Amino acid sequence: MNRNLQTECPVLVTGGAGYIGSHAVLALRDAGWPVAVLDNLVTGFRFAVPDDVPFYEGDVSDADLVARIVSERGTRAIMHFAGSVVVPESVADPLKYYANNTAASRALIAAAIEAGVPHFIFSSTAATYGVPEISPVSEDAPKVPINPYGWSKLMTERMLADVAAAHPMNYAALRYFNVAGADPQMRSGQSTAGATHLIKVAVEAAAGKRDSVAIFGSDYDTPDGTGVRDYIHVSDLAVAHVLALEALIADPGRSLTMNCGYGRGFSVREVLDTVDRVTGAAITRTLEPRRAGDPASLISDPSRIRATLPWRPQHHDLATIVAHALGWETKLAEMRNAEGDNG
Ligand code: UDP
């Protein structure tokens, strides 16, 4: 991409202090895009945003704030990561998800249209598919979410499709599979406490923060009986956002909905074996019943993203994903110790 096009397209990243958003900020900055961050720091961390990136603390639903940022920064594209992401919490408190993911997105999209922002990239999820009948799952598969989290994201996809048909804006909805790992240079990683995702939980156990890892279900119809997922490295995912933005700029009349996964799956046991191999130690495993709402297997069909973007994943090896997640876990422990020593 021509450098001028980048400097002419300042990007606002919402949720840029969070896990995936902070990696998108790094990918944009590494590729020379002017970038600013809007984050309310409810689950994000100020330290996750580089000091030279303009930072605005606030809510994406604050129309006046978004208007001010767009005017101050000359924003031409919004990457919208801010939102709530815990599936069981969405079942217990659905209105929180429809507020933070659906209503807040509506407000942000309205502010973007009002300000004439021409490109919008949205964090969507494989949870929009529910329990797919066919795996690998393609974008055209039925979208029947099985939890409010998936619905809250699917509704925002629908809004974007309707808005893009009515206004001069195009969008990319990227449906993430299982995001894991950390920036290879250890500038960011997954920092939120109370993790529930398998690779994060496993590296916490490997780092001594937990005694064991529960395997939720060993009687699935999968090769070893445990759940199979398509784990994608967060930095490869971040680069996919940058490439999607280039595609939106190149063809303003076209919007994109794409799976983000590698198209291959690993079982829970394979993930835990990989963690053991990387550390040279064995995590204690316990066998637990299936977790409600877990499909046996969720693997993306990545044909569309492969055909649409020049996306060439760099970190798809599972041991690399695990090693980077583990590296970040170690760094996080050092940072927390230093914080404890200082205060
Ligand atoms: N899983 C597990 N133990 C854990 C966390 C997850 O066995 O502590 C399993 C889960 O049942 C699923 C897979 O690991 O088969 C991935 O779950 P995760 O929560 O990481 O992501 P999800 O696919 O639910 O979004």
Side-chain angles (χ1 to χ4, degrees):
M1 158 124 333
N2 164 328
R3 247 195 124 70
N4 286 338
L5 271 185
Q6 293 173 5
T7 49
E8 283 164 19
C9 186
V11 183
L12 173 62
V13 178
T14 77
Y19 174 44
I20 304 174
S22 65
H23 288 82
V25 169
L26 293 172
L28 285 162
R29 192 161 143 277
D30 289 350
W33 299 77
V35 53
V37 166
L38 169 61
D39 197 300
N40 64 12
L41 297 182
V42 170
T43 54
F45 297 89
R46 183 66 182 85
F47 70 73
V49 182
D51 288 337
D52 59 358
V53 170
F55 179 81
Y56 296 84
E57 186 173 343
D59 290 320
V60 299
S61 52
D62 183 342
D64 292 340
L65 176 59
V66 174
R68 176 160 74 83
I69 299 170
V70 171
S71 136
E72 279 178 15
R73 298 290 152 197
T75 303
R76 301 276 299 158
I78 294 177
M79 287 191 187
H80 179 36
F81 296 91
S84 299
V85 297
V86 182
V87 169
E89 185 190 42
S90 81
V91 176
D93 189 1
L95 291 174
K96 173 175 176 178
Y97 281 70
Y98 293 119
N100 291 354
N101 292 354
T102 315
S105 294
R106 189 219 164 268
L108 178 67
I109 295 165
I113 293 299
E114 176 71 27
V117 175
H119 311 294
F120 198 99
I121 296 186
F122 175 57
S123 291
S124 192
T125 168
T128 54
Y129 297 115
V131 181
E133 277 170 23
I134 300 170
S135 176
V137 60
S138 81
E139 289 83 355
D140 298 326
K143 263 69 68 189
V144 194
I146 54 167
N147 49 58
Y149 170 68
W151 281 112
S152 70
K153 292 282 186 176
L154 187 59
M155 287 181 189
T156 302
E157 282 196 19
R158 184 70 244 170
M159 280 194 283
L160 284 167
D162 293 339
V163 167
H167 299 280
M169 184 194 84
N170 66 347
Y171 74 91
L174 302 182
R175 297 190 184 134
Y176 311 158
F177 282 67
N178 288 62
V179 188
D183 174 49
Q185 298 174 47
M186 296 294 128
R187 295 169 296 177
S188 193
Q190 195 168 358
S191 308
T192 316
T196 60
H197 290 127
L198 179 63
I199 289 182
K200 175 75 175 172
V201 166
V203 298
E204 283 184 359
K209 290 187 190 170
R210 298 174 183 256
D211 295 336
S212 61
V213 176
I215 297 176
F216 295 134
S218 50
D219 56 351
Y220 283 108
D221 184 15
T222 57
D224 70 12
T226 66
V228 171
R229 295 291 183 275
D230 187 348
Y231 295 93
I232 175 173
H233 193 293
V234 64
S235 297
D236 280 338
L237 178 63
V239 168
H241 287 73
V242 179
L243 297 173
L245 175 57
E246 291 180 3
L248 293 183
I249 295 170
D251 187 351
R254 183 170 73 149
S255 291
L256 303 164
T257 298
M258 294 181 296
N259 285 340
C260 293
Y262 297 137
R264 51 94 176 105
F266 289 102
S267 72
V268 174
R269 284 203 172 96
E270 286 174 319
V271 169
L272 299 180
D273 289 347
T274 305
V275 175
D276 286 353
R277 246 195 334 274
V278 169
T279 59
I283 321 169
T284 306
R285 307 168 184 195
T286 61
L287 291 184
E288 304 287 339
R290 294 181 181 193
R291 209 169 53 176
D294 271 356
S297 178
L298 196 54
I299 298 172
S300 77
D301 175 347
S303 312
R304 189 182 288 176
I305 189 168
R306 292 276 190 177
T308 311
L309 304 180
W311 186 56
R312 299 293 169 261
Q314 302 293 306
H315 312 290
H316 52 278
D317 175 52
L318 184 63
T320 303
I321 297 175
V322 164
H324 290 163
L326 199 58
W328 180 253
E329 211 50 49
T330 308
K331 179 158 177 189
L332 207 53
E334 286 164 8
M335 282 161 52
R336 300 235 152 107
N337 284 341
E339 233 171 59
D341 292 346
N342 293 336

